[in-house]
Amino acid sequence: MTEEAVTAHSLTPVLRVLRSCLHLMVAALLALAAVRALAEHAPDAPAVLATAVALFAVYATGPRLPRLRSSSGAAALWLAAVALLWTVLLALTQDGVWLAFPLFFVQLHLLPLRGALPAVVATTVVAVAGFGWHTHTLSVGTVLGPALGAAVAVAVVLGYEALYRESEQRRRLIEELTAARSELAAAEHAAGVLAERERLAREIHDTLAQGLSSIQLLLRAAERALPQRPGTALGHVRQARTAAVGNLAEARRFVRALSPPDLEAGSLPAALERLCATTARTSPLAVHCQVSGVPTALPTAHEVALLRIAQSALANTVRHAGAGRAELTLSYMDTEVALDVVDDGAGFVPAEVPAPGSAAARGTGFGLAAMRARARALQGTLVVESAPGEGTAVAVTLPCPATASVPAPSAPDPAPDPAPGAAPEAAS
């Protein structure tokens, strides 16, 4: 065995028990040889007793020598001393042949396999020769006994080695799997945190940030109307208060993780109708909403994404396009739902919109990124077509099979709603 294997094996509880049993076997066999020699009043009984005591003393010092576990040379020297005394004992009494069996295990345990096997063969030969010399005969049983004992010892040790290696491989595999599972859990947690941050950023941009911008514009308009037009200023203030109420509802929704208030009050087409009516009421933009196809019940995530994209697109139109008219179309198809927002504004070059967070963005650019992220999260696509002086068209398509028909809204909700899209934080 190698030094590493010996050290590892010495830590194995099963091996410690086996070693203790091996030591007891050696002591018992030595005692048996000495007692039988004394009981039979053999002429060399004192020599047998002295040799047995010496062999036990040398053997007993081995486990207390740390170098035997760390040095193959020291183990070989100790085994040579034990083998020499055992040979002397075997020459004095044939009972010494029984000690060959525990010696096989000791040799296989302390020596590398390339050295242990020759030692076992040599011990077998000495045992057969010694026993044959005492009995003055060499039969098949005399040869097979020690040979089978050696074969059993080699098979047991090699089998244990194979089981131990397999156990170590399984232990290392379990440790690797445990470490990989911990790393995977940490990566999933980090990904979840990033996804939640992105979701909150989109929600805040599409609702609170745009609503606060709308309130700011309304209050500025009220300030300009005072004091010559107090009635107009009062109307702007009331609209600002309505927008503040809506933003407060959105903030509470974030805390409770509920659906948007517009969707809680009705279907997606109704929510888009209210959005268009509110945008037209709080801005100079004329907005028209139409529904194509048979309205069907959509998953909440799809309805929220479409409503938020519509809010962001209309808000950008109001803030940046200088448009006079916008068309919002919701199309229900067999396996998809599409939303198109088209305006007749100044247009822009989509490829030149700076990435959010870059130095050129200056706090803008989140609108397009948020809309694309919403569509991508639902395996959808978002396309922006625009050119200077030719208006802008935003088209989002989400894969979603129709499930159940819902009645289309006959008229927008007359209740005042916040203007979540009147003033976006970023150009899209």
Side-chain angles (χ1 to χ4, degrees), residues 384-410:
V384 179
E385 296 181 356
S386 183
E390 297 182 6
T392 301
V394 177
V396 59
T397 303
L398 301 180
C400 184
T403 55
S405 299
V406 297
S410 57

Side-chain angles (χ1 to χ4, degrees), residues 44 86-94 130 133-134:
D44 53 359
W86 169 70
T87 304
V88 174
L89 181 64
L90 181 60
L92 294 173
T93 174
Q94 65 180 10
W133 182 73
H134 280 289

Side-chain angles (χ1 to χ4, degrees), residues 303-331:
E303 293 186 342
V304 171
L306 293 172
L307 177 61
R308 295 306 186 210
I309 291 174
Q311 289 174 333
S312 184
L314 288 179
N316 287 325
T317 299
V318 173
R319 180 72 180 274
H320 302 286
R325 182 174 178 82
E327 292 283 343
L328 188 150
T329 304
L330 178 64
S331 302

